[in-house]
Amino acid sequence: MPRCRFPLSLITLGLPAVLGLPLAAQAPPGGAQADSLYRNQRWAEASAAYAKAATADPSDARLWYRLGIAEHSQQHFAKSEQAFLRASALPPTPATRPLRGLAFYNLAAARARQGKRDAALAALDSAITNGRFPPGTLEKDEDFAELKNDPGFAQRLEAARLSFYPCDTIPHARDLDFWVGEWDVYNTAKQQAGQSSIQRILSGCVVLENWSGGFGDNGKSFNWYNTRTGEWQQTWVADQAYSTEYRGGKREGDTMTLLAKTVTAAGVPAETRLRLTRLDDNRVRQLFEQSTDSGKTWVTTTDLIYVRQGTGAKP
């Protein structure tokens, strides 16, 4: 079905500024009557109104797009294809750029409905290039029912997923995946110091640490790759009324290193270095060190071994 009338469409391609506002709050293309017909899904009358308006102003992509929606909703797929083709072919403006991906998407849908397999896949390529939409929208869309078993469709579905969830493909965004899992945590004396549940959240863009200490202390950290700085960072917050901000994180080999400005127990300014090292598939070392001489020398403050639960591995 066309993407403009349903909630899913309003979260694709960043459209609230273009389509998410009540239509009465927008400058109504084609006039108030066309706007009212469109809003009330009186598609035959809306088609006539938008066809007239688009003929009078053929440079307005919104007119062609809405004409396409009205025709598609009547299952006039050849007509909707032509309208979406006109909408997608117009040079994008700041106002219509968010609409461009949807125009290509619906062009693909109209072509798929007519059995134009290759042309539909080509339009999907353009939709992915020009916008973002949840892959679930494409996967469940009945307009593409005849393409669901086509390997080309599966490729576009994967491309849509990677476009919508960029942290699966951004270089270094998965540098901490080795830390993800359920862990028992031990100190250097091989005594259990606590447990930690490490999860990928926000579509993999954040590694969330959930720490439960053996003395009832708890804490959480958000770890993420900052694409602007090209570095990892961590925000740690504990229920003991303190927090730490780590920056400059980089993975070298099997070790992720992060740095923070801190103070010693005596109140002396210091640097804290956090290192997470993958020892093997089931063990990770977490080492905290502190320096009060600008990194010339370091003193170990905490040394822990994470052991993946249920594996039988030893610290």
Side-chain angles (χ1 to χ4, degrees):
M1 296 298 291
R3 241 53 47 206
C4 82
R5 307 194 309 277
F6 306 102
L8 277 175
S9 70
L10 302 182
I11 62 172
T12 62
L13 311 175
L15 284 177
V18 176
L19 295 179
L21 293 174
L23 292 175
Q26 303 176 32
Q33 182 181 9
D35 177 71
S36 176
L37 294 169
Y38 187 90
R39 184 175 63 248
N40 289 290
Q41 301 183 18
R42 295 167 61 179
W43 300 124
E45 296 165 276
S47 293
Y50 281 116
K52 181 178 179 180
T55 300
D57 186 4
S59 65
D60 192 328
R62 291 187 186 90
L63 296 176
W64 292 110
Y65 182 80
R66 291 184 177 185
L67 174 59
I69 294 295
E71 294 290 1
H72 199 95
S73 298
Q74 300 171 82
Q75 300 189 12
H76 299 163
F77 302 124
K79 290 183 177 180
S80 68
E81 177 187 6
Q82 292 306 308
F84 291 131
L85 186 61
R86 292 293 295 267
S88 63
L90 289 169
T93 67
T96 62
R97 186 170 288 109
L99 197 66
R100 190 169 174 81
L102 278 181
F104 278 115
Y105 184 101
N106 285 287
L107 174 61
R111 288 173 171 174
R113 283 288 193 175
Q114 298 174 82
K116 298 180 178 180
R117 186 177 300 260
D118 292 341
L121 294 176
L124 275 179
D125 288 336
S126 296
I128 294 167
T129 299
N130 287 276
R132 297 171 61 246
F133 49 88
T137 299
L138 176 59
E139 190 172 23
K140 298 175 183 178
D141 195 330
E142 295 179 0
D143 284 340
F144 297 101
E146 297 302 317
L147 296 185
K148 294 296 175 66
N149 295 323
D150 190 304
F153 182 81
Q155 293 171 6
R156 273 67 177 187
L157 184 61
E158 176 65 7
R161 186 187 70 80
L162 295 177
S163 174
F164 198 74
Y165 302 120
C167 290
D168 283 341
T169 57
I170 292 174
H172 302 298
R174 303 194 68 168
D175 283 347
L176 267 181
D177 276 12
F178 67 84
W179 198 30
V180 174
E182 304 300 315
W183 306 90
D184 292 323
V185 185
Y186 297 86
N187 58 25
T188 55
K190 297 186 179 181
Q191 299 170 329
Q192 187 162 349
Q195 293 182 321
S196 199
S197 175
I198 314 294
Q199 306 159 357
R200 291 182 76 224
I201 63 171
L202 298 179
S203 302
C205 290
V206 170
V207 175
L208 172 66
E209 173 188 13
N210 302 277
W211 166 258
S212 299
F215 294 100
D217 54 307
N218 296 285
K220 295 181 184 293
S221 72
F222 264 45
N223 304 264
W224 73 98
Y225 180 73
N226 190 323
T227 56
R228 293 184 178 180
T229 64
E231 297 173 333
W232 276 81
Q233 57 193 76
Q234 180 191 105
T235 298
W236 161 263
V237 181
D239 63 0
Q240 306 299 302
Y242 75 93
S243 63
T244 309
E245 296 285 344
Y246 292 89
R247 296 292 184 268
K250 290 187 181 296
R251 178 174 173 176
E252 295 180 342
D254 285 330
T255 299
M256 172 71 73
T257 303
L258 300 109
L259 298 169
K261 298 292 185 182
T262 57
V263 295
T264 67
V268 177
E271 289 181 274
T272 293
R273 183 166 66 188
L274 164 59
R275 288 179 172 174
L276 291 160
T277 301
R278 177 188 176 277
L279 301 178
D280 53 45
D281 287 347
N282 298 315
R283 296 185 306 145
V284 172
R285 184 186 187 190
Q286 185 181 59
L287 177 65
F288 292 89
E289 300 168 292
Q290 197 168 71
S291 173
T292 56
D293 55 10
S294 300
K296 295 177 183 178
T297 60
W298 295 90
V299 175
T300 297
T301 56
T302 306
D303 193 352
L304 300 171
I305 299 294
Y306 282 61
V307 177
R308 197 178 299 275
Q309 293 178 359
T311 63
K314 303 297 182 181

